Structures are given as C-alpha cells and as structure tokens.
C-alpha cells in the first residue's frame, strides 16, 4: 500500500522537516514498527470476509465502487461527502432503502438517516412508524389493542455511527452495514428486513469525520501519522457531544432527539463507540452496577438480552476478547445510549478496541496486561471475559468486522423478538402512567415567575426536546397552600416517560461505592447528580395531592417574548434575567452607553437588585430598544424618575479566550455560551499569548478549565507537528502576568485556577490541597453555594445558589494577606446542607471555603471561578458569574447619568 501525505490548510499545511526529525528522535518508533510489520502480513481479502454473510444482489453497488477502497482498508479513511455519495448510489439502486435528511450539523453538513427494510415495509413505513409511536406513548391503548399492534408492527432498530470522530471504525462501518442490509439475500437477511425497520444514522458527527480524515491524510507517511487531533472534532463540544443528550443544545443532538422521541420511537437504540478496556477487543453489555432506579426493569433485562445476543454471535464467529460488566454503568443520564433508558428504550453501547485511525498495530502477547483495572483476569476465561484475546494484528478492518457482527446481531434479536420488544415498550409506558396516577408525586408545577425570568421557559423547552409532555394552566389555581398564576407549567407524572421526568426534576442519591471496604471511592461513570431545577435555578414544586387542573397541552417548545413596560425615558434591565445579557451586548455593540447600578432600584411593583442595567438615553433609543426586545426576548422597564447614585459604566469587553492545542472541551463550551449571549471574543493560541502585548488588545483573558500541565506545557515536541507543541510556556505565563499587572483581568475557570495560583502567584491558596480521595471526593455533583450578590461579580445572582462541582476547586485567603491586597470571597461553598444532588465524601473539608474569588493583581485582577459556571451549557443559574467577570473587566466606577 502506497501512503500519500496530503497537505491540509485546516492544520497549517505542510509539516516542517525539522519537526519530523524531532519527532523521530523523540521515540515514535512504535508507529514505524507497526507499519513495517504490516508489510509482512497482507491486508485481508474483502471478498473472503463478506462471503459468509452472502449471497448478495449483484446489482447493488459495492462500497468500494464509490469510496475508492473497501471500508477499513489500511491507511484509508473515507470522509463524509464520499460516504454520502455511496449511500445515495445505494438508494438509487434499491427500493429497500430511503434516505432522509433530518437536519444540519454545526458546520452545515447534512444529517442523514437511512431507513432500511423490505421494499413493502419501506413503502408502508409511515404506518409502522405510527404503530411504534402509539405503543411508546400509550395514550388510550388497552392491553388487547396493544397486543394486536405489536403483532402487526415492525421492530424499529436504531443504529448509529460516527459520534466520537476519532473513533474512526464505526463511521467507516456504516456504508458496509448499509450494503449488507440492502444487498444481502440470505434467508436470515430477508427475515430481518421483513421483521424490522433499521434506522441507520451513518454519521452523527459528519463535521468531525471530515476533520479527522483531513488530519490523518495531512500526516500520513510522517512521524505524526498517529498524532492526536489538536482541535475539537465538533465545532463547540468535541467529545462532549455524547454528554448533551438531556440538555440538547447542539444541532446534531436536537435533530437526533427529535427522531428518537418524537418520530420513530425505536425499541432498540445501538450507539457505537471505540474505547474498549484494554486488552479486550470489545466491551458489550450487560453493564456494571449501580443501576439508576428510574430505569424500568424491562429495559435492564432487554439490555442483557441484546448484549448476550451480540456476545454470542461474536464468539460463535471466533471473535475473541469480548468483555462485559467492566467500567460502564447504567446510572448516568445524559449519553446517547443512556437517555433512551428513561424513554423505555433498550440502549446499547459497545466499545470496540481502537489503535489510531487507519494505521495497523501489532500487539505481542507480552504487551498485554495480566488483568483489567478492576482485577478481572485478562489472560484466562472468566464470566466477564470468557474468551480472552491472545494478541496479534489489529487493523481498521478488524474493529469494523466486530461492529458489523454486533450490528447484525442487534437487528437479528430485534427480528426474533419483535413482538416482545413492541409489547414491552407499551407495558413500560402503561406502568409508568399507572405509577404517576398513584402520586408521589402526581406531577411537577413550574411557576412562570422565577428569580431569572427566562429560566422556567428554558427548563420547559429542555424537557420538551426530550419528548416529555408538558401542559400549561389556563386559569390561576390554589394548590397545597400556594397560588399559581395563569401560565404555570405542569409536567404530569402520569406519562409514558415518567422515569425521564423524575430523573431530571428530582435529586440523585448516588450510592457510596468503594473499591474495597473503607478504601478509596469507586468513581461513577461521568456524573453522579444533575437535577435540572437546581442547575438552572428554577423553583419546581411537586404536586403531592390529586387535583383537577384546567390544562392545555403544549405541542411545541415555548417561544419567549420580551416586554417593554412602564413610561419614561430612563430604561432599566433586570440583572437576574440571563436574556438581559443578550440585549445589553447588542447595545454595547452598537455604541450605546450602559451603566450598572450598585444599589437596589425601586420600580413599579418591585425592586430591582444591585447590578441593574441602566441605559443612557440617546436619540432613537426607544425604537431601538423595542426592536431588541423582540429579537432577544429580554424585558426593558421604562421609568420617569432619574436613577441617582454610583455605579459602573461598562463597555463591550474585549475578551480573549485562550484555547490550547489540547482540544479543550471547556474552551469549546465557553465559545458556545459566549455566542449564545452575544459576547464578542477572540480565540488566542499559544503563539498569540507568548508574543505579549495582551493589554493593548484585551480587557479579559479567559483560561478554560484544564490541568496546569496541559495549559503551560501542552504537547511535547515530537508528539505533534511543532506548531502545536509547547503550551503557554514560560513566555506565555510571563505575558499573562504582565497583562494582569497592567490592569487586565484573568478569568480562570475551575482547574485553570492552578495556573493562577502556582504559576502566576495569585494571592490565594488551594483549600483542598493535600487531601486524599479517601478524605475528600466529589466527582460530579450539585452543591449549594452562598453568594454575596452585592459584589459586581455576582450581580443578579440569588444569595443561595447551586454549583456544578466536578472535582473542582476551592480557595482560602492566605493568613498573611494585607487588607489592601486581600482577595474578596464572592461566593462560598455552603457551611451546612452542602450536597443537593449526587455524591460527596468528606463534605466538612469543603464547607465554607471560597468558590468564587476576586484577587487583586498589580493594577488588574484574577477572577477565580472554582467550578465551571457554564459546564456543558447546563447550569444557567451560574452563567451570570461568568458574564459579570467579563463586563467588570471593562467597567469603570462612575456617577450615574
């Protein structure tokens, strides 16, 4: 195989020859060992691999007829436009497949699903889709009608690829799977087409596939052939595109969620991944404990049934190295395969072994560990790992073969147990409705009037994007000692997806799990708690008694509307409402003068808290504000009296967002949130910071949450093309120091505080230093914080709020601090009742410590945000702490006009 290197402007074009030499000297010999050994064993014969799955319809085009190579060929990655062209050719050749565009990606690529079944089923697909919906939603069905529909219906099996783009095999397996399902003429394949409708999403992240394919091609044949990707493989969130499935912020997530929970209602959802616990070749369910109590037992049993079918088929075909019940659990809600659990769907995750891209790798037996991380033997048979992998070659086609077997096993089990799966999704929905009718609670009431006026609507829309039924009251009501106005939202517990509502609206109580008795904690997979009302600052009330409510169902997400109220030519905006940020930033962008009032401001019927925005009157301002109210849905209050006193004049902050070449997801999420709320920013890289002179360009520099090593040292020379190595380095740290001393503001998010404390020498200390995990551990939970909302960094915040703490930071004021230079604690972790949702060990070590701190630094400041205030764009309540940090960087003390 001749490998051709392709220069790519996305990553800076050609690799400098000096960098190649440095990389070779730095120890990339393993890559070349793998490549040279590959010549000793030729690539697999594709016809031999396909033959056991045949015969095939010869009129159907083979993948290689369009791709130019067979899927999984050594050193070859097909990009999304090429795969799309093959799928279109497949559609033209057969009436067993139909392509549908369901949306567009973050960078404008088409998001496609391929519906594959028998020609008759495809012609009647809307009928069978309707059956799936009726069974999933239950409605007025009874058991007899449900059995009849299950007998008539077709199992809907969802299979997707490409979510995590550097896990290249599943994206390459999709065109081969489509070919097998469409062209296969075996009795088994015909039965599967007759009994199922496969909803194949060939790539959930086409942007990422193109980025990865470009990167691999640009480095092919160089010492960096297997180098890690230096940028995110999704515009904003990278790997976190599999952490967005209950918040549903990204266009890809929204498009897929609409198909799953509002259109196709598949009984089985199979989400391919490629990070198997080494040395296993594939992780296959069942999962490890703990199991989330809101997941129906029939889902857990269904996971076992499908997982066992996959494992059995793999081992029947001689594919060794399948492991189960190691590492992955069924607790967390938020992943592509986990959110379906709470919709009564069987979510399947497999993790197949990965080397790097399309480069082969040989594993000698003595390279394999003797056991997995949990102690399971890796070299002998066990219940978790019955058929150990002995080592050997691992080419891209090998994981594709495992994935094809697993995908076909999933369709096969869907075919064989079609009626069971259809009837069980009805049974789970029916039982959920019955439990909701029994109370505890009967539902959840969400008043429209909240601390943040936008928060109720935001929460309701999140719930509806996840397929939940939400209603709105037509009249004011008195319930359980409370008055609820017209427009109160109601989420009934008596609905088919009750478990999903319960899991998002109620606290999580993660069990205290240890690696061994009295030992260190056994960390959860991803998060331990995520309760949305806490994160978003929404007051949600459980309805504990049955009530007759005058309700109107919502059939689409709620559109927000702003209001311009009052009379006069003094204009105010509420600092508590996140939507105010959008309008204020638009005003600043157009050159209007905006102040923040540092005292409470009485207005008609209420008092605005400190930090209210005051817009200086100018010609045409009233008409301009009216336009912006319609565009941003923010409220503006006009008053006749002049607001007197002191405040801050703010300008549009010049924000530099430092983004390292380590593909920072926190930087990506930060870009996303800044854009959503209209903050202008400039991405700055290592070289930009090292040049210095930052004060002439920026008021604030944001350091995303990442380890100090990742930020300061970055990639080592030899690991990557030289332009992506070195991190901030000493020159970058010195430039940041000069920037802050000269009057700039450094905003350090979570882990980046370590750089501020250790490298910049900010006058604060790590309050958790020296504690072991046995003494303190909080892996991803919601904690209560106490906030001084009279401080400009906390304007608009409630005094009692929630922080998303993910192994985060806490601060103390050094004892030797002089009063003039002493840090100001803006928010503290609560001194009691700290945990709201999730799991914490040793909470006494965190109680009362600083969560948000402003630290003087020369003529400037360092703002330490000890937790990620906009983590995954979820905790809307604490967005304001970040926004205020930016506005305050460009604010000057002023007398109000």
């Amino acid at each position: 195989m001749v490998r051709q290197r392709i220069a790519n402007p996305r990553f800076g074009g050609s690799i400098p020859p000096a960098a190649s030499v440095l990389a070779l000297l730095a120890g990339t010999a393993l890559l070349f060992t793998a490549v040279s050994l590959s010549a000793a064993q030729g690539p697999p014969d594709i016809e031999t691999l396909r033959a056991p799955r045949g015969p095939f319809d010869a009129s159907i085009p083979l993948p290689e007829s369009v791709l130019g190579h067979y899927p999984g060929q050594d050193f070859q990655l097909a990009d999304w436009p090429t795969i799309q062209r093959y799928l279109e050719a497949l559609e033209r050749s057969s009436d067993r497949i139909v392509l549908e565009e369901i949306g567009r990606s973050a960078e404008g690529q088409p998001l496609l699903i391929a519906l594959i079944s028998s020609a008759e089923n495809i012609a009647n697909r809307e009928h069978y889709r309707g059956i799936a919906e009726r069974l999933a939603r239950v409605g007025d069905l009874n058991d007899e009608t449900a059995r009849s529909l299950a007998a008539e219906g077709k199992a809907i099996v969802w299979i997707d690829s490409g979510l995590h783009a550097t896990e290249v095999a599943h994206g390459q397996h999709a065109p081969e799977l489509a070919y097998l399902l469409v062209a296969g003429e075996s009795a088994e394949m015909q039965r599967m087409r007759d009994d199922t409708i496969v909803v194949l999403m060939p790539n959930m992240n086409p942007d990422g596939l193109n980025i990865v394919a470009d990167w691999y091609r640009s480095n092919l044949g160089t010492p960096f052939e297997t180098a890690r990707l230096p940028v995110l493989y999704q515009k904003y969130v990278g790997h976190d595109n599999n952490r967005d499935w209950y918040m549903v912020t990204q266009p890809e997530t929204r498009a897929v969620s609409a198909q799953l929970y509002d259109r196709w209602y598949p009984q089985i959802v199979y989400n391919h991944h490629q990070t198997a616990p080494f040395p296993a070749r594939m992780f296959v369910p069942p999962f490890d404990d703990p199991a989330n109590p809101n997941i129906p037992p029939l889902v857990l049993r269904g996971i076992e049934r499908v997982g066992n079918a996959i494992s059995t088929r793999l081992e029947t075909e001689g594919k060794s190295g399948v492991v189960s019940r190691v590492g992955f659990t069924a607790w967390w809600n938020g992943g592509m395969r986990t959110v379906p659990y709470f919709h009564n769907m069987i979510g399947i995750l497999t993790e197949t072994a990965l080397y790097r891209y399309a480069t082969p790798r040989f594993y000698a037996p003595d390279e394999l560990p003797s056991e997995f991380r949990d102690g399971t033997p890796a070299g002998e048979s066990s219940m978790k790992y019955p058929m150990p992998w002995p080592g050997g070659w691992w080419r891209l086609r090998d994981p594709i073969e495992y994935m094809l077997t697993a995908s076909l096993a999933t369709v096969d089990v869907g075919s064989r147990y079609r009626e069971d799966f259809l009837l069980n999704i009805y049974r789970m929905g029916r039982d959920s409705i019955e439990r909701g009718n029994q109370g505890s609670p009967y539902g959840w009431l969400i008043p429209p009037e909240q601390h943040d006026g936008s928060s109720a609507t935001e929460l309701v829309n999140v719930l509806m994007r996840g397929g939940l039924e939400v209603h709105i009251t037509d009249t004011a009501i008195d319930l359980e000692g409370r008055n609820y106005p017209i427009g109160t939202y109601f989420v009934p517990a008596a609905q088919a997806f009750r478990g999903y509502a319960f899991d998002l609206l109620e606290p999580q109580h993660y069990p205290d799990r240890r690696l061994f008795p009295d030992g260190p904690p056994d960390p959860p997979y991803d998060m331990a708690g995520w309760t949305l009302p806490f994160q978003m600052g929404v007051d949600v009330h459980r309805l504990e008694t049955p009530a007759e409510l005058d309700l109107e169902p919502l059939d689409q997400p709620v559109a927000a509307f702003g209001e311009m109220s009052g009379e006069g030519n003094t204009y105010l905006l509420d600092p508590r409402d996140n939507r105010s940020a959008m309008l204020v930033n638009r005003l600043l962008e157009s050159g209007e003068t905006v102040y923040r009032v540092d005292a409470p401001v009485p207005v008609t019927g209420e008092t605005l808290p400190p930090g209210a925005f005051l817009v200086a009157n100018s010609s045409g301002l009233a008409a301009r504000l009216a336009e912006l109210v319609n565009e941003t849905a923010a409220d503006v209050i006009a008053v006749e009296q002049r607001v007197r006193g002191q405040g801050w004049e703010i300008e549009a902050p010049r924000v530099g967002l430092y983004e390292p070449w380590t593909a920072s997801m926190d930087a990506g999420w930060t870009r996303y949130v800044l854009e959503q709320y209209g903050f202008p920013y400039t991405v700055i890289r290592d070289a930009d910071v090292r040049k210095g002179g930052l004060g002439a360009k920026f008021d604030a520099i944001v350091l995303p949450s990442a380890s100090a090593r990742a930020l300061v040292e970055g990639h080592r020379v030899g690991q990557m093309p030289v332009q992506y190595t070195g991190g901030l380095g000493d020159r970058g740290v010195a430039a940041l120091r000069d920037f802050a001393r000269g009057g700039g503001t450094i905003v350090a998010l979570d882990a980046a505080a370590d750089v501020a404390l250790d490298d910049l020498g900010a006058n604060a200390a790590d309050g958790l230093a020296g504690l072991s995990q046995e003494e303190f551990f909080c892996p991803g939970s919601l904690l209560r914080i106490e906030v001084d909302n009279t401080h400009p960094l906390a304007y608009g915040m409630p005094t009692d709020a929630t922080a998303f703490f993910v192994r985060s930071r806490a601060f103390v004021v050094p004892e030797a601090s002089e009063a003039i230079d002493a840090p100001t604690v803006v928010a503290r972790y609560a001194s009691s009742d700290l945990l709201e949702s999730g799991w914490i060990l040793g909470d006494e070590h965190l109680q009362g410590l600083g969560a948000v701190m402003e630290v003087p630094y020369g003529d400037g400041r360092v703002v330490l945000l000890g937790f990620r205030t906009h983590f995954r764009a979820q905790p809307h309540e604490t967005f304001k702490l970040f926004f205020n940090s930016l506005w305050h960087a460009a604010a000057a003390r002023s007398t109000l006009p």
Side-chain angles (χ1 to χ4, degrees):
M1 170 65 64
V2 176
R3 294 175 294 146
Q4 180 181 3
R5 176 170 170 268
I6 302 171
N8 193 314
R10 184 196 295 271
F11 304 103
S14 298
I15 307 300
S20 300
V21 174
L22 286 169
L24 186 58
L25 294 175
T28 57
L30 182 59
L31 162 65
F32 295 103
T33 299
V35 172
S36 61
L37 284 172
S38 71
Q41 174 182 309
D45 178 69
I46 188 62
E47 292 182 5
T48 301
L49 290 175
R50 285 183 181 140
R53 299 185 174 116
F56 301 102
D57 182 342
S59 69
I60 304 298
L62 292 164
E64 50 267 36
S65 68
V66 176
L67 273 56
H69 56 84
Y70 65 78
Q73 192 164 329
D74 290 352
F75 310 113
Q76 300 290 329
L77 288 180
D79 58 21
W80 174 239
T82 307
I83 291 175
Q84 181 180 346
R85 284 197 301 273
Y86 173 69
L87 294 170
E88 289 167 349
L90 201 60
E91 182 185 36
R92 288 192 298 270
S93 71
S94 176
D95 54 5
R96 297 169 177 173
I97 177 173
V98 170
L99 298 180
E100 292 183 0
E101 182 175 321
I102 63 171
R104 291 274 166 164
S105 70
E107 297 194 41
Q109 291 292 317
L111 300 171
L112 301 181
I113 57 172
L115 307 176
I116 304 175
S117 189
S118 69
E120 182 181 357
N121 292 346
I122 290 294
N124 294 290
R125 59 189 180 278
E126 183 60 26
H127 172 69
Y128 294 118
R129 189 209 63 77
I131 288 176
E133 179 176 10
R134 290 186 67 191
L135 289 169
R137 288 289 185 181
V138 179
D140 59 358
L141 290 183
N142 56 37
D143 290 358
E144 182 180 355
T145 304
R147 288 192 187 94
S148 176
L149 289 172
E152 180 187 357
K154 306 298 178 184
I156 311 298
V157 179
W158 173 285
I159 301 175
D160 60 69
S161 296
L163 186 61
H164 285 164
T166 50
E167 302 168 7
V168 295
H170 37 77
Q172 303 297 304
H173 118 290
E176 182 82 0
L177 177 62
Y179 169 76
L180 297 178
L181 291 171
V182 171
E185 295 292 354
S186 68
E188 178 188 54
M189 202 67 73
Q190 292 181 40
R191 170 178 53 78
M192 291 195 295
R193 283 195 299 264
D194 288 341
D195 292 339
T196 70
I197 296 176
V198 175
V199 184
L200 172 65
M201 188 160 191
N203 205 290
M204 302 182 77
N205 179 19
D207 299 342
L209 173 55
N210 291 338
I211 290 168
V212 170
D214 287 349
W215 172 252
Y216 182 62
R217 291 168 184 168
S218 69
N219 292 315
L220 200 59
T222 78
F224 308 111
E225 184 167 303
T226 59
R228 295 184 182 278
L229 193 67
V231 297
L232 296 173
Y233 53 66
Q234 194 271 358
K235 184 176 181 179
Y236 298 109
V237 304
H239 194 84
D240 270 356
N241 62 1
N242 198 29
R243 305 293 184 269
D244 189 44
W245 292 96
Y246 62 69
M247 205 67 188
V248 201
T249 68
Q250 299 304 299
E252 298 89 346
T253 324
R254 291 190 180 189
V256 172
S257 294
Q259 297 297 310
L260 295 176
Y261 313 126
D262 197 39
R263 179 156 175 75
W264 280 102
Y265 300 93
Q267 296 84 51
I268 302 174
V269 176
Y270 184 1
N271 179 220
H272 277 282
H273 285 268
Q274 201 179 0
T275 309
F278 191 71
R281 298 298 86 190
M282 185 181 242
F283 168 85
V284 176
F287 299 103
D288 198 3
D289 284 327
N292 189 306
N294 294 314
I295 300 174
L298 282 176
V299 165
L300 298 176
R301 292 300 185 191
I303 292 169
E304 290 194 6
R305 174 184 276 185
V306 177
N308 287 334
I310 293 173
S311 298
T312 300
R313 191 173 182 121
L314 285 164
E315 289 168 354
T316 298
E317 294 179 2
K319 293 180 170 70
S320 61
V322 178
V323 71
S324 299
R325 293 191 170 91
V326 171
F328 302 97
T329 71
W331 173 268
W332 170 63
N333 185 344
M336 173 58 197
R337 58 96 181 178
T338 59
V339 171
Y341 300 159
F342 305 92
H343 295 77
N344 306 325
M345 301 170 186
I346 296 165
I348 297 296
L349 164 81
T350 59
E351 295 273 3
T352 312
L354 168 71
Y355 177 49
R356 300 280 178 84
Y357 311 118
T359 297
R361 169 73 151 86
F362 182 83
Y363 294 89
D366 59 5
E367 292 184 78
L368 307 185
S370 61
E371 60 182 32
F372 293 93
R373 284 188 296 178
D374 70 344
T376 299
E380 59 186 64
S381 179
S382 67
M383 290 297 293
K384 294 181 179 180
Y385 193 52
M387 191 177 178
W389 185 61
W393 280 103
W394 197 248
R395 303 172 179 276
L396 178 55
R397 184 67 193 197
D398 292 316
I400 287 176
E401 282 294 314
Y402 275 64
M403 291 174 182
L404 291 170
T405 297
S407 293
L408 293 174
T410 302
V411 179
D412 179 48
V413 76
S415 166
R416 293 180 183 276
Y417 299 99
R418 173 183 60 85
E419 289 191 43
D420 282 359
F421 289 129
L422 287 164
L423 194 55
N424 281 348
I425 201 170
Y426 159 76
R427 287 169 172 153
M428 288 182 275
R430 177 201 63 191
D431 293 349
S432 293
I433 292 170
E434 289 178 357
R435 288 187 66 187
N437 284 327
Q438 294 168 8
S440 294
Y442 288 95
W444 297 266
L445 290 153
I446 306 173
E449 297 174 356
Q450 301 282 340
H451 177 86
D452 177 345
S454 65
S455 61
T457 298
E458 293 285 353
L459 174 59
V460 165
N461 287 342
V462 168
L463 299 177
M464 293 188 69
R465 286 196 292 267
L468 286 175
E469 299 172 19
V470 182
H471 303 255
I472 192 167
T473 60
D474 287 337
T475 59
I477 51 176
D478 289 304
L479 284 172
E480 299 175 342
R482 295 175 182 264
N483 176 260
Y484 295 93
I486 295 173
T488 295
Y489 302 105
F490 179 65
V491 183
Q495 60 176 295
F497 303 153
R498 174 187 181 274
Y500 191 54
F502 209 98
D503 205 63
L504 294 185
L505 297 174
E506 297 285 333
Q508 282 73 47
H509 304 285
Y510 194 84
D512 186 347
R513 294 176 59 84
R514 309 299 178 103
L515 294 175
F516 49 85
D518 300 320
D522 182 6
Y525 182 82
D526 205 76
M527 299 296 113
W530 48 84
T531 311
L532 288 185
F534 295 158
Q535 287 198 63
M536 300 180 74
V538 183
D539 188 19
V540 175
H541 305 153
R542 290 168 56 109
L543 179 62
E544 299 289 5
T545 56
E548 291 290 332
L549 302 178
D550 188 7
L551 300 171
E552 189 72 28
L554 296 175
D555 58 5
Q556 59 185 354
V558 180
F561 296 97
E563 181 182 6
M564 200 162 175
S565 61
E567 295 182 357
N569 56 10
T570 297
Y571 300 100
L572 297 163
L573 284 86
D574 193 333
R576 296 169 293 188
D577 194 324
N578 282 345
R579 291 174 299 192
S580 295
M582 304 179 198
L583 194 149
V584 166
N585 285 329
R586 295 283 294 276
L587 289 172
L588 295 173
E589 181 184 19
S590 62
E592 299 289 350
T593 303
V594 180
Y595 298 84
R596 303 205 75 173
V597 185
D598 63 4
V601 181
V603 295
T604 304
E606 63 174 324
T607 298
L608 298 181
F613 298 96
L614 171 64
V615 187
N617 198 9
S618 63
S619 176
L621 178 61
R624 175 67 174 145
L625 286 173
E627 291 177 1
L628 291 176
V629 164
N630 288 332
E631 293 172 11
T632 65
D635 294 332
V636 173
I637 304 169
V639 295
E640 293 180 350
Q641 72 271 24
R642 178 181 171 188
V643 179
R644 300 180 183 275
Q646 294 293 307
W648 302 86
E649 182 178 347
I650 62 174
E651 297 180 353
R654 300 173 301 162
V655 179
L657 171 60
Y658 170 63
E659 192 154 357
W661 289 117
T662 51
S664 167
M665 287 180 285
D666 194 52
W669 279 114
T670 300
R671 280 192 282 109
Y672 174 76
V673 171
L674 289 173
E675 291 178 21
Q676 293 300 301
Y677 288 89
F679 283 90
Y681 68 92
T682 301
V683 170
I684 52 177
R685 298 286 189 174
D686 296 328
D688 302 313
V689 179
R690 293 176 197 146
K691 288 177 185 176
L694 299 169
K697 303 174 183 176
F698 304 111
D699 302 305
I701 290 178
V702 179
L703 301 180
S705 182
S707 71
R709 179 173 179 177
L711 296 177
V712 177
E713 298 178 20
H715 295 293
R716 295 194 305 273
V717 173
Q719 286 184 324
M720 302 278 282
V722 69
Q723 62 266 43
Y724 306 115
T725 62
L728 289 168
D730 292 340
R731 287 171 55 201
V733 170
L736 290 174
R737 192 179 294 122
D738 291 343
F739 168 73
R741 285 175 175 167
T745 296
I746 293 175
V747 181
L749 304 177
D750 201 335
D754 296 349
V755 173
L757 301 182
D758 300 336
D759 295 277
L760 299 180
N763 186 28
D766 180 357
L768 300 173
L771 295 176
S772 67
Q773 287 195 351
E774 289 93 334
E775 295 172 292
F776 176 79
F777 184 69
C778 187
S781 299
L782 304 181
L783 306 182
R784 195 167 64 85
I785 56 173
E786 299 161 351
V787 182
D788 175 9
N789 62 7
T790 65
H791 191 284
L793 296 186
Y795 281 161
M797 288 287 294
T799 56
D800 194 272
T802 298
F804 209 140
F805 191 102
V806 187
R807 306 192 188 196
S808 297
R809 300 301 185 269
F811 312 108
V812 293
V813 178
E815 294 181 3
S817 298
E818 297 183 9
I820 193 170
D821 291 324
T824 300
V825 178
V826 179
R828 298 180 182 275
Y829 296 105
S831 55
S832 62
D833 299 322
L834 182 59
L835 179 66
E836 291 188 302
S837 182
W839 185 31
I840 188 172
L841 298 177
D843 58 343
E844 67 276 8
H845 296 291
L846 186 62
Q847 292 173 352
L849 297 187
V852 176
M853 192 174 283
E854 182 183 40
V855 183
Y857 196 95
D859 291 333
R861 65 175 71 85
V862 175
V863 176
L864 302 174
L865 300 177
F867 57 93
R868 279 174 271 182
T869 53
H870 46 281
F871 178 63
R872 298 175 179 170
Q874 295 177 15
H876 285 229
E877 185 176 52
T878 52
F879 284 5
K880 284 180 277 288
L881 293 168
F882 179 50
F883 296 165
N884 289 334
S885 300
L886 304 180
W887 281 318
H888 199 52
R893 194 72 175 149
S894 174
T895 300
L896 299 175

